[in-house]
Amino acid sequence: MKIINLIPFLGLIVCSLPSISQSSDTTTTTTTTIITTTTTTTTDITSSPVVLVGTHKVEHLETSNDHSWFNKNYSEYSYDSSSIAKLKSLPAEYHLVVVAGTWCADTHLQLPRFYKVIDDAAIPRERIKLYFVDRELKDPELVSKKFKIKKVPTFILMKGDREQTRIVEKPKLSIEKDLVKAVK
């Protein structure tokens, strides 16, 4: 496999990786793009066409054609309204660290749900730090090592510098109910 189109642009490295599959009568070429916010790149190619690694804003997922799963699962999620009402009064000293993988099916389901809860509870997105890891759970900022990430997505509720709770892969009840329970 050969990396083509290595393009440094505004601190981003964009790599396009060709993949060729053949059947008896046709040849199909597809391209997987990997974006990272540092000079570290990954050659992790999975079913997701774009693998993000490093710090990114969720707006990238919302506006990218490569991540249509985000908007679909965001709009389809129905949450517990009473929990949202309780989260609206989340004290300012709380913030969240999210570690996810764009290649991960659980991230495809839970990350949009998380952001719908956050948005509808009027929690400012500035209180959320979103990091993406590769399939080996590595990232250039070493966040996965710092927080001892074993599975993704992982949602960590912090009060100042102290971890209050974490939701790993799937919530026990629901994202909103698990967060409310942790704040009590």
Side-chain angles (χ1 to χ4, degrees):
M1 181 174 316
K2 182 172 147 187
I3 297 177
I4 60 170
N5 298 333
L6 184 61
I7 306 166
F9 179 72
L10 298 176
L12 299 176
I13 299 295
V14 180
C15 301
S16 295
L17 302 161
S19 171
I20 300 172
S21 59
Q22 294 181 328
S23 66
S24 59
D25 55 345
T26 62
T27 300
T28 304
T29 302
T30 58
T31 300
T32 298
T33 303
I34 300 170
I35 300 174
T36 181
T37 55
T38 69
T39 56
T40 305
T41 59
T42 178
T43 56
D44 176 28
I45 301 171
T46 63
S47 61
S48 182
V50 175
V51 176
L52 299 177
V53 178
T55 306
H56 289 274
K57 295 198 177 289
V58 72
E59 290 80 5
H60 179 87
L61 298 177
E62 293 171 322
T63 59
S64 170
N65 291 333
D66 295 316
H67 303 291
S68 58
W69 52 266
F70 186 89
N71 291 326
K72 176 184 179 297
N73 290 332
Y74 183 101
S75 64
E76 290 178 356
Y77 186 55
S78 297
Y79 52 72
D80 175 61
S81 298
S82 65
S83 294
I84 297 297
K86 291 174 187 171
L87 287 173
K88 286 186 179 202
S89 62
L90 185 69
E93 68 263 22
Y94 285 94
H95 65 277
L96 294 118
V97 175
V98 179
V99 182
T102 55
W103 45 267
C104 171
D106 289 328
T107 292
H108 288 197
L109 185 62
Q110 300 302 333
L111 189 63
R113 290 176 173 185
F114 169 80
Y115 272 99
K116 184 163 188 177
V117 166
I118 293 303
D119 290 345
D120 289 0
I123 297 170
R125 287 184 171 186
E126 294 78 32
R127 290 169 60 184
I128 301 162
K129 297 294 181 195
L130 177 61
Y131 302 94
F132 290 98
V133 295
D134 63 19
R135 285 188 67 78
E136 287 78 37
L137 303 179
K138 294 181 181 170
D139 65 287
E141 292 93 350
L142 302 176
V143 171
S144 60
K145 184 175 181 180
K146 176 183 176 182
F147 288 101
K148 297 179 174 110
I149 302 299
K150 303 289 184 214
K151 296 179 180 185
V152 293
T154 298
F155 305 92
I156 305 171
L157 179 66
M158 305 285 293
K159 184 176 183 182
D161 291 337
R162 297 195 58 192
E163 181 175 325
Q164 299 300 300
T165 194
R166 67 173 56 198
I167 301 168
V168 180
E169 280 189 301
K170 299 171 185 158
K172 291 177 184 163
L173 302 171
S174 68
I175 289 175
E176 63 277 13
K177 288 179 181 178
D178 288 6
L179 289 175
V180 166
K181 186 177 177 184
V183 175
K184 285 185 180 182

